[in-house]
């Protein structure tokens, strides 16, 4: 089990703050693998794990992802996480994550992620090559 942590206020499901459900641990392990400047969608992570779906991954990130690189787990349309846009944007700019400038009509002129360039496949350019968190090689 990795050194994962819960969100800022601890676990919200009655478990001890350091006790995570196994699926949540796996999701957070994948989030930790995403290289700086790259992103994976909620659905990408579920597909990579071969379990759950985008909503389950999103729930894990909402409940337990506070200490993980949450800004690297994103919506498939490249829109920034509502309510956390400016914090995420700071991380993206610091890491050099590819962005698409906002149109003049976009609310708040907040850019979107350039998903074609920023999306990580779970293999190339990550930490430790093609071996994933489960010890298997993913292609």
């Amino acid at each position: 089990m990795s050194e994962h942590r819960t969100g800022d206020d601890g676990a919200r499901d009655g478990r001890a703050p350091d006790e995570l459900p196994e699926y949540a641990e796996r999701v957070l392990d994948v989030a930790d693998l995403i290289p700086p400047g790259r992103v994976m969608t909620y659905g990408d992570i579920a597909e990579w794990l071969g379990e759950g779906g985008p909503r389950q991954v999103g729930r894990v990130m909402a409940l337990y992802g506070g200490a993980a690189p949450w800004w690297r787990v994103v919506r498939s349309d490249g829109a920034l996480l509502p309510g956390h846009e400016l914090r995420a944007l700071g991380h993206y700019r610091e890491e050099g994550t590819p962005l698409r400038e906002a149109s003049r009509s976009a609310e708040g002129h907040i850019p979107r992620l350039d998903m074609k360039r920023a999306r990580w496949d779970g293999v190339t350019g990550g930490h430790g090559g093609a071996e994933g968190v489960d010890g298997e090689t993913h292609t």
Side-chain angles (χ1 to χ4, degrees), residues 31-99:
D32 283 341
L33 287 176
I34 303 169
R38 305 297 297 274
V39 299
M40 288 182 91
T41 68
Y42 299 107
D44 290 342
I45 290 179
E47 183 178 332
W48 198 88
L49 290 172
E51 183 180 356
R55 290 177 189 247
Q56 288 81 10
V57 171
R59 180 129 175 98
V60 167
M61 294 305 296
L63 292 176
Y64 305 108
W70 55 266
W71 60 92
R72 296 181 193 151
V73 183
V74 301
R75 294 173 30 168
S76 61
D77 65 1
L80 306 191
L81 184 64
H84 301 279
E85 297 94 342
L86 296 180
R87 283 181 54 210
L89 191 55
H91 288 291
Y92 298 140
R93 288 186 171 145
E94 181 180 317
E95 294 181 356
T97 307
L99 299 169

